[in-house]
């Protein structure tokens, strides 16, 4: 065998070795929590926090592969929970839908408890990671409710000219109010994923006078906290972030064009000064948001849209328990943005910041050599954290 071939094979093996991060080892999550009593509750209700998180051996130590697996393939042997779809006609003419999944057993507390889920960008109750989370939570005694972001599901026809946006909490609030009316005695924990985590956190800090009192706390998973800061990093090629940004941009354009006959009528384009060519040619989310989102939402600039849409502006107003979860190898969320949850957890009681070494963006697959377990580390841990929040708020009410 020639030296060139040997060198080429060695290069390929080294490349694979580096991409798969095979040399890495399972590690316990880092937990930042100044409130010792709350930290003890978390560890008791979610024992996974005191154990090493063990990703799928062959590929699970790579944040990129975890992220791609989550986005393209999803969970294996994913159950399809049976739910009921609820439709609400909002004041602006938009139709909001959400799905309700009843518990499969009685919760350990004996109470009526609900997890209110807000999926990530372009996702809905039918996204695979939402379904697996719902099924696991149902088996632990939770009712689960998942919002379907307006426009995210092609099968649900729009009744107004708008689709969802990054920081709009109006739809989520309307769903929560309707839930309170239908389940007056339930205790709610809000759970947001990626973009949905920003919406949940921002909502908790908005101090709406009509916010239901039976919201006990929230869980934020894999969010970026500050849209303006995030975009400055996403526009760079470091860690392939520009590639992920391109995918998100194409997904947003796909959602918009799926409802083109409603959201891009001549009347709508004239009213908001929209240029369809600029929207379709957008190569990045800032370009898309400048051509479409900020105009429909009524913002003067893209900077104003991102600043007002980010939960970082509202964190100081939150008064109920809140737990943040991020992965260190998340290729979409750069490390500088993690200063927000760290600072929050360091300064507030009944709050915590959990950072895993591995997991990617919304992946958190675990177990197995090549084929992961059907239930992820995130599924198990987040449900345990919800239990801890409910115990904490129950003790405060006694």
């Amino acid at each position: 065998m020639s030296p060139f071939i040997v060198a080429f094979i060695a290069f390929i093996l080294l490349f694979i070795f580096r991409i798969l991060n095979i040399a890495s080892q399972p590690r316990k999550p880092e937990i930042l929590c100044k409130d010792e009593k709350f930290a003890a509750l978390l560890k008791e209700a979610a024992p996974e926090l005191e154990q090493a998180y063990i990703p799928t051996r062959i590929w699970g130590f790579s944040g990129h592969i975890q992220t791609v697996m989550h986005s393209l393939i999803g969970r294996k042997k994913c159950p399809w929970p049976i739910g009921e779809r609820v439709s609400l006609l909002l004041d602006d003419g938009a139709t909001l839908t959400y799905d309700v999944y009843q518990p499969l057993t009685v919760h350990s507390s004996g109470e009526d408890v609900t997890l209110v889920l807000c999926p990530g960008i372009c996702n809905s109750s039918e996204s695979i990671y939402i379904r697996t989370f719902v099924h696991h939570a149902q088996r632990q005694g939770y009712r689960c409710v998942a919002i379907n972001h307006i426009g995210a599901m092609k099968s649900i026809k729009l009744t107004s000219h708008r689709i969802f946006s990054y920081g709009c909490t109006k739809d989520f609030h309307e769903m929560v109010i309707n839930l309170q009316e239908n389940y007056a005695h339930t205790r709610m924990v809000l759970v947001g994923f990626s973009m949905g985590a920003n919406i949940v956190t921002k909502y908790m800090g908005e101090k709406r006078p009509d916010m239901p009192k039976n919201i006990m706390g929230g869980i934020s998973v894999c969010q970026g906290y500050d849209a303006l800061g995030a975009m400055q990093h996403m526009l760079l090629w470091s860690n392939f972030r520009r590639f992920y940004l391109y995918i998100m941009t194409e997904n947003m354009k796909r959602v918009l064009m799926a409802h083109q006959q409603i959201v891009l009528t001549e009347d709508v384009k004239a009213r908001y000064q929209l240029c369809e060519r600029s929207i379709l040619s957008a190569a990045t989310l800032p370009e898309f948001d400048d051509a479409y989102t900020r105009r429909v939402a009524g913002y003067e600039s893209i900077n104003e849209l991102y600043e007002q849409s980010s939960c970082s502006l509202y964190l100081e107003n939150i008064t109920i328990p809140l737990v943040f979860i991020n992965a260190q190898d998340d290729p979409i969320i750069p490390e500088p943005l993690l200063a927000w949850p760290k600072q929050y957890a360091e300064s507030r009681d009944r709050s915590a910041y959990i950072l895993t070494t591995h997991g990617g963006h919304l992946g958190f697959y675990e177990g197995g050599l090549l084929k992961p377990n059907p239930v992820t580390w995130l599924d198990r841990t987040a449900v345990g954290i919800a239990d801890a929040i409910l115990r904490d708020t129950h003790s405060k009410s006694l």
Side-chain angles (χ1 to χ4, degrees):
M1 186 178 295
S2 71
F4 174 79
I5 295 176
V6 172
F8 179 74
I9 293 175
F11 172 79
I12 294 297
L13 291 176
L14 178 62
F15 179 77
I16 294 174
F17 189 82
R18 289 292 299 274
I19 288 294
L20 296 180
N21 199 23
I22 292 175
S24 187
Q25 296 298 317
R27 294 175 185 169
K28 287 173 56 175
E30 295 180 25
I31 305 175
L32 187 59
C33 181
K34 70 181 285 283
D35 187 335
E36 294 182 4
K37 184 177 179 181
F38 189 65
L41 275 175
L42 288 173
K43 293 174 182 177
E44 179 184 354
E48 295 83 5
L49 297 177
E50 295 205 278
Q51 304 165 2
Y53 160 45
I54 306 176
T56 304
R57 182 68 258 184
I58 295 297
W59 50 265
F61 291 87
S62 167
H64 290 290
I65 297 182
Q66 285 250 22
T67 301
V68 171
M69 286 287 289
H70 152 74
S71 301
L72 299 182
I73 300 175
R75 310 325 193 199
K76 289 294 184 181
K77 295 184 177 179
C78 175
W80 191 289
I82 305 300
E84 174 190 2
R85 182 155 294 167
V86 179
S87 295
L88 302 175
L89 184 62
L90 306 184
D91 293 342
D92 63 357
T95 298
L96 173 68
T97 69
Y98 66 89
D99 288 16
V100 181
Y101 305 90
Q102 300 298 341
L104 299 178
T105 187
V106 178
H107 188 261
S108 58
S109 67
E111 298 179 305
D112 185 302
V113 291
T114 302
L115 296 181
V116 186
L117 312 182
C118 193
I121 188 169
C122 302
N123 294 164
S124 68
S125 63
E126 294 185 0
S127 298
I128 294 177
Y129 71 98
I130 297 295
R131 286 190 290 158
T132 55
F133 183 87
V134 165
H135 183 70
H136 178 67
Q138 283 180 296
R139 295 173 63 187
Q140 310 308 312
Y142 282 96
R143 175 187 300 105
C144 290
V145 177
I147 191 171
N148 298 312
H149 294 303
I150 292 178
M153 297 177 67
K154 190 175 181 179
S155 60
I156 299 178
K157 301 301 180 184
L158 299 190
T159 57
S160 76
H161 63 270
R162 73 175 177 91
I163 62 172
F164 69 91
S165 64
Y166 176 75
C168 179
T169 57
K170 171 182 169 58
D171 301 338
F172 191 77
H173 177 64
E174 294 289 349
M175 178 185 69
V176 171
I177 292 296
N178 189 252
L179 280 174
Q180 184 187 39
E181 294 172 356
N182 294 333
Y183 303 98
H185 301 293
T186 195
R187 303 175 74 214
M188 303 182 197
V189 176
L190 313 182
V191 186
F193 303 86
S194 193
M195 181 198 78
N198 176 73
I199 290 175
V200 162
T201 308
K202 179 173 178 279
Y203 176 66
M204 290 172 62
E206 286 179 334
K207 285 190 171 181
R208 292 173 179 260
D210 56 343
M211 183 179 293
K213 303 300 183 184
N214 55 348
I215 296 176
M216 301 294 104
I219 303 172
S220 158
V221 182
C222 289
Q223 71 153 310
Y225 307 99
D226 184 74
L228 192 58
M231 287 306 164
Q232 292 172 354
H233 291 277
M234 292 296 290
L235 289 170
L236 304 177
W237 280 104
S238 175
N239 212 19
F240 300 104
R241 289 195 184 97
R242 186 66 178 259
F243 170 76
Y244 290 107
L245 184 64
Y246 170 78
I247 297 298
M248 287 188 282
T249 307
E250 291 302 304
N251 285 338
M252 285 300 300
K253 289 195 287 187
R254 192 175 299 114
V255 166
L256 196 67
M257 297 315 293
H259 305 282
Q260 181 181 10
Q261 294 181 339
I262 297 175
V263 299
L264 290 177
T265 64
E266 293 303 319
D267 176 65
V268 170
K269 287 190 288 187
R271 190 189 320 170
Y272 296 105
Q273 296 183 317
L274 302 177
C275 174
E276 190 169 335
R277 179 179 298 177
S278 297
I279 296 171
L280 293 179
S281 63
T284 66
L285 273 182
E287 291 177 9
F288 175 87
D289 288 334
D290 190 45
Y292 175 77
T293 310
R294 73 152 182 97
R295 298 170 185 271
V296 175
Y299 291 100
E300 292 295 325
S301 68
I302 192 70
N303 283 4
E304 182 185 4
L305 167 67
Y306 287 158
E307 288 173 358
Q308 296 297 319
S309 297
S310 299
C311 74
S312 56
L313 199 63
Y314 301 86
L315 286 172
E316 288 301 314
N317 299 331
I318 299 173
T319 58
I320 55 179
L322 177 58
V323 176
F324 301 100
I325 302 174
N326 284 97
Q328 197 169 24
D329 67 352
D330 186 334
I332 295 176
I333 309 299
E335 187 174 354
L337 296 179
L338 302 183
W340 289 102
K342 288 179 182 178
Q343 182 180 4
Y344 186 92
E346 286 174 343
S347 61
R348 306 291 285 268
D349 290 332
R350 306 169 75 198
S351 67
Y353 173 55
I354 298 166
L355 181 67
T356 62
T357 304
H358 309 101
H361 192 74
L362 298 179
F364 298 100
Y365 294 91
E366 68 176 345
L369 183 65
L370 183 62
K371 183 179 179 182
N373 300 337
V375 176
T376 69
W377 178 90
L378 176 62
D379 296 334
R380 297 187 297 116
T381 304
V383 170
I385 292 171
D387 286 344
I389 290 174
L390 291 171
R391 292 179 194 177
D392 175 82
T393 52
H394 187 270
S395 66
K396 295 290 187 297
S397 64
L398 295 179

